[in-house]
Structure formats: C-alpha cells, structure tokens
Amino acid sequence: AMGLQAAGLVLDATLPPDLSRGAQASPVALDRRGAWLRALPVEDGRWRIRADLARTDERFVERLIAVEDARFWRHPGVDPLAVVRAAGSAAITGEVSSGASTLTMQTARLLTPRPRTVPAKLVEMIRAVQIEARLSKREILALYLTLAPYGGNLEGVRAASLSYFGHEPSTLTPGQQALLIALPQSPEARRPDRRPEASRRARDQVLDKMVRAGVLSPIEAAEAGE
C-alpha cells in the first residue's frame, strides 16, 4: 500500500486523474417546492443527475459500502486484503475477478473506462490512490453514485431511483436498495424494465449479502424479497 501511495504521489504531479466526466451532469428543472420535474441529457443522450449524499438514504449508503467495499472508510483507495484474496482466486481460476475493486477503483474506471485486463486493473489502482489524495471519502461516494450505470441511458442513483421507483433516493426500501446496489455491476443484464427475473435474482443475492454483512436482518430480507 505504501508503494502504491508513493507511485500515486509521483503520478499525481505528472499525470493527474481526469475528473472531468464527473463534472458533466444533466441540468435539472425543479418546481417551486424543490421537487424534480425533468432533466436534460448529457453526452450520448445519457441521463446523469448529480448525486447528493445529503438527500440520499443513509442506510442505502451504509449497505452499499458493506456489500461492495467493507473497508472503504479505512483504505487508501486500494484494499490490500482484497487484492491478496483476488490474486489467490486468479491463480486458481486463471481469471481476473472484480472482487478486489474498491468503490474508489470502480469510480476510477467510471471516469475513464478501460477493458477488464490486469494492466488496466493496475492503472485503476494507481488512479484510485490519486483520487483518494484529491477527494474526501464522501466526495468519492458522491462521484461513484453520480457516474454508476443503471441500465439503458441511466447514470447515477438519482436518475435510477426517479426512473425505476418514481421518487428521489432519499428514502428507499431494503428491496430498492438491494436493486440499486446490484445494477451497476451488470446494468443491462439486470434491468428491471427489460429483465425482471434476472433483476429479482440479483436483488435477492444482494439482500443475502446484506444479511451476511450484518446490515439487514433475515426477516427484513425475507420481506424485501417477496
């Protein structure tokens, strides 16, 4: 981890991360009470509404971290324990898994998409350390929740919540939270409007992970899966 941090500091001066994609968001029209009316698309007709952690369900954020990156608040962008575990898995299966990807690494990939290869993964690690040196943890979460893909032309948790559930992500049921955690990992294959069965399976898998992580009770998970 220290070596990665040193590499990140050198690269930060010579090749800073490109954060411009996160700055491009859909202009949003609100009514007099502040309720969402409509948004204008960004490039390629994508709906990308900037995430606002202050107006995002805190339990959703807590459960997202528990499922996707349990040591998010403590690591410097790269989780050494997850890297060792993923390297062991790759040695056995011969495949690069996404298990070592922290939320910061996923954010780096969303800022500058790359093929899923070992060299690209190493670049993501360095970029993640650079991003951590520039942004706070909450800013990184907001950036991830602004850029994450949710199927079709939807990007960001607000666009997904408004489109799929008809409301802002300020309050979300456990089932809705599980779906919003599952979708960015495979957005087209799990779209609830096009692939409802796959969507339900993915949601239920995340509900199980929430229970195992201790952030949802088995009773709540059973009710959410109905």
Side-chain angles (χ1 to χ4, degrees), residues 131-178:
I131 290 167
E132 292 265 352
R134 288 167 172 264
L135 303 177
S136 71
K137 290 286 189 179
R138 286 183 65 80
E139 287 172 333
I140 292 166
L141 276 175
L143 190 53
Y144 171 80
L145 289 172
T146 296
L147 296 174
Y150 287 90
N153 62 348
L154 300 176
E155 289 187 359
V157 71
R158 288 182 68 194
S161 185
L162 286 161
S163 297
Y164 293 135
F165 312 136
H167 60 77
E168 290 271 1
S170 52
T171 55
L172 296 163
T173 67
Q176 290 171 341
Q177 292 173 25

Side-chain angles (χ1 to χ4, degrees), residues 25-175:
S26 298
V28 177
L30 305 174
D31 68 13
R32 285 176 302 182
R33 296 185 301 280
W36 185 85
L37 288 175
R38 66 182 181 279
L40 300 175
V42 288
E43 78 274 5
D44 301 326
R46 296 184 177 279
W47 300 96
R48 182 189 303 148
I49 308 175
R50 196 179 310 284
D52 180 355
L53 286 189
R55 297 174 63 190
T56 303
D57 194 324
E58 290 180 11
R59 294 166 305 168
F60 164 68
V61 176
E62 176 194 353
R63 289 163 177 167
L64 167 70
I65 291 168
V67 170
E68 281 293 309
D69 187 0
R71 286 178 287 277
F72 174 73
W73 297 110
R74 300 195 294 279
H75 65 60
V78 177
D79 184 347
L81 291 175
V83 170
V84 170
R85 194 167 56 240
S89 173
I92 294 167
T93 64
E95 295 180 359
V96 179
S97 76
S98 59
S101 286
T102 63
L103 284 170
T104 316
M105 287 170 62
Q106 292 180 49
T107 302
R109 185 166 63 244
L110 291 169
L111 284 165
T112 310
R114 293 181 179 85
R116 302 278 181 106
T117 63
V118 172
K121 182 75 78 174
L122 293 174
V123 172
E124 279 169 22
M125 288 180 176
I126 294 168
R127 289 300 189 202
V129 174
Q130 288 183 290
I131 290 167
E132 292 265 352
R134 288 167 172 264
L135 303 177
S136 71
K137 290 286 189 179
R138 286 183 65 80
E139 287 172 333
I140 292 166
L141 276 175
L143 190 53
Y144 171 80
L145 289 172
T146 296
L147 296 174
Y150 287 90
N153 62 348
L154 300 176
E155 289 187 359
V157 71
R158 288 182 68 194
S161 185
L162 286 161
S163 297
Y164 293 135
F165 312 136
H167 60 77
E168 290 271 1
S170 52
T171 55
L172 296 163
T173 67

Side-chain angles (χ1 to χ4, degrees), residues 164 179 183 186-203:
Y164 293 135
L179 180 61
L183 273 172
S186 192
E188 291 308 314
R190 297 172 174 177
R191 280 180 64 170
D193 56 339
R194 295 242 179 121
R195 303 181 186 275
E197 282 299 322
S199 170
R200 275 192 290 273
R201 281 196 302 274
R203 178 202 65 186

